[in-house]
């Protein structure tokens, strides 16, 4: 038998940031994204300049794919709640 009941009780309020509006959270996300891009550029530069193996491009691809996934999920969660 498959359990179809919700994991969390209905009484839990999912609006964890009720004291902050969605626009403020969006601005925080954009500022973090800009900071993250600056750090990523520095990482890519060092990986290309000082990387000693041929797997550097794979590492960059995995890093970019993970970053895109995380920022997409965070943006969708801001729009959902």
């Amino acid at each position: 038998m498959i359990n179809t009941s919700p994991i969390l009780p209905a009484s839990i309020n999912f609006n964890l940031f009720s004291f902050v509006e969605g626009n403020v959270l969006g601005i925080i996300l954009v500022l973090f994204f800009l900071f993250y891009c600056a750090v990523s550029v520095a990482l890519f530069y060092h990986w290309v300049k000082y990387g000693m193996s041929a797997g550097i491009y794979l590492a960059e691809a995995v890093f970019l794919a993970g970053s895109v996934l995380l920022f997409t999920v965070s943006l969708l969660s801001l729009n959902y709640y």
Side-chain angles (χ1 to χ4, degrees):
M1 177 185 248
I2 297 175
N3 185 5
T4 59
S5 63
I7 296 172
L8 298 173
S11 63
I12 292 180
N13 185 5
F14 282 97
N15 192 3
L16 299 175
F17 299 103
S18 60
F19 59 94
V20 178
E21 294 180 13
N23 292 339
V24 174
L25 292 176
I27 291 170
I28 291 170
L29 181 64
V30 167
L31 291 175
F32 180 75
F33 178 74
L34 293 174
F35 173 75
Y36 193 83
C37 286
V39 170
S40 297
V41 167
L43 277 176
F44 287 147
Y45 170 76
H46 288 331
W47 283 346
V48 170
K49 179 90 172 157
Y50 303 111
M52 299 296 180
S53 70
I56 296 300
Y57 295 113
L58 176 64
E60 288 179 355
V62 169
F63 180 81
L64 284 176
S67 298
V68 167
L69 178 69
L70 289 175
F71 277 108
T72 302
V73 168
S74 63
L75 185 63
L76 290 174
S77 67
L78 280 179
N79 289 331
Y80 182 74
Y81 291 112

